[in-house]
Amino acid sequence: MNPNQNSAASQFHELAFGDVERELAVTRSVLEAVPDAHLDWKPHEKSMTLGQLAIHVAYLPDWARGALASDLLDFAAAPRPPKSVKDVRELLEHFDRNAAAFRAALAAFDPAKYGDLWTLRNGEQVFVSKPRPIVYRVWSMNHLIHHRGQLCVYLRLLDVKVPTVYFNTADDPAFVFE
């Protein structure tokens, strides 16, 4: 690879993935705040329990990994996350493992494949085929950020200190911009 190609690849990675480490660190801090004693709690009968929502958040880095490491996800053959965890320590183990696999996929990702189609299917039934940037950004990263926000609301409703996510919170009034 000539130096210009290397520079272009570095610029691409910074533009497309420059927020990954920050989002993973913030997500881990929110998961760390989940209280073991309330994993079965939910704010409404239609809501997920705190534990279910936290597990979903802990597994979303694996969705991002899959969006980069493969051209499809087949629900018929995909491993399923656990339905419950015994405590936050176990939850963080799942998150850390998924985040590490995502980082590895990110490091190995070929920018030339960024615009390729990505397909979600269940066996022969195709649900959707979309360009990888849409799948990565909307289905993976925005999805993670959305559910992490819900998790922060659950924490607030339980009167648990809400970690700083983008700027300050009522529990952490010091202005932070990273």
Side-chain angles (χ1 to χ4, degrees):
M1 179 180 288
N2 75 41
N4 290 338
Q5 287 175 320
N6 192 23
S7 176
S10 292
Q11 289 175 343
F12 167 81
H13 268 269
E14 180 58 31
L15 182 62
F17 309 119
D19 56 344
V20 166
E21 285 306 320
R22 187 193 182 290
E23 295 301 335
L24 290 175
V26 167
T27 300
R28 192 175 201 291
S29 72
V30 172
L31 291 171
E32 288 171 340
V34 170
D36 288 335
H38 294 287
L39 291 174
D40 291 330
W41 179 84
K42 59 184 181 177
H44 188 273
E45 67 183 50
K46 293 181 181 180
S47 299
M48 287 186 265
T49 67
L50 175 63
Q52 291 167 328
L53 180 57
I55 290 166
H56 188 52
V57 169
Y59 271 80
L60 283 169
D62 192 55
W63 291 30
R65 179 211 51 80
L68 298 179
S70 178
D71 291 333
L72 67 93
L73 172 61
D74 185 350
F75 278 146
R80 301 284 190 250
K83 293 187 186 289
S84 64
V85 291
K86 65 180 180 274
D87 56 26
V88 173
R89 183 191 59 72
E90 181 184 351
L91 176 72
L92 291 171
E93 287 171 2
H94 289 290
F95 174 77
D96 290 342
R97 189 172 41 254
N98 290 323
F102 173 33
R103 287 181 182 107
L106 188 57
F109 184 68
D110 177 3
K113 294 182 60 79
Y114 196 61
D116 292 356
L117 280 182
W118 187 92
T119 301
L120 176 63
R121 64 185 320 138
N122 188 23
E124 296 302 313
Q125 180 185 11
V126 173
F127 292 117
V128 67
S129 286
K130 295 273 186 189
R132 182 173 275 117
I134 299 298
V135 173
Y136 170 74
R137 180 57 58 193
V138 176
W139 192 66
S140 301
M141 296 307 290
N142 292 359
H143 192 166
L144 169 71
I145 292 164
H146 163 74
H147 285 302
R148 185 181 66 205
Q150 285 182 313
L151 198 51
C152 287
V153 171
Y154 279 37
L155 296 176
R156 174 63 67 225
L157 292 172
L158 287 167
D159 201 26
V160 172
K161 181 180 177 187
V162 177
T164 295
V165 174
Y166 288 110
F167 297 102
N168 53 314
T169 69
D171 298 314
D172 186 8
F175 180 78
V176 176
F177 182 70
E178 294 178 28

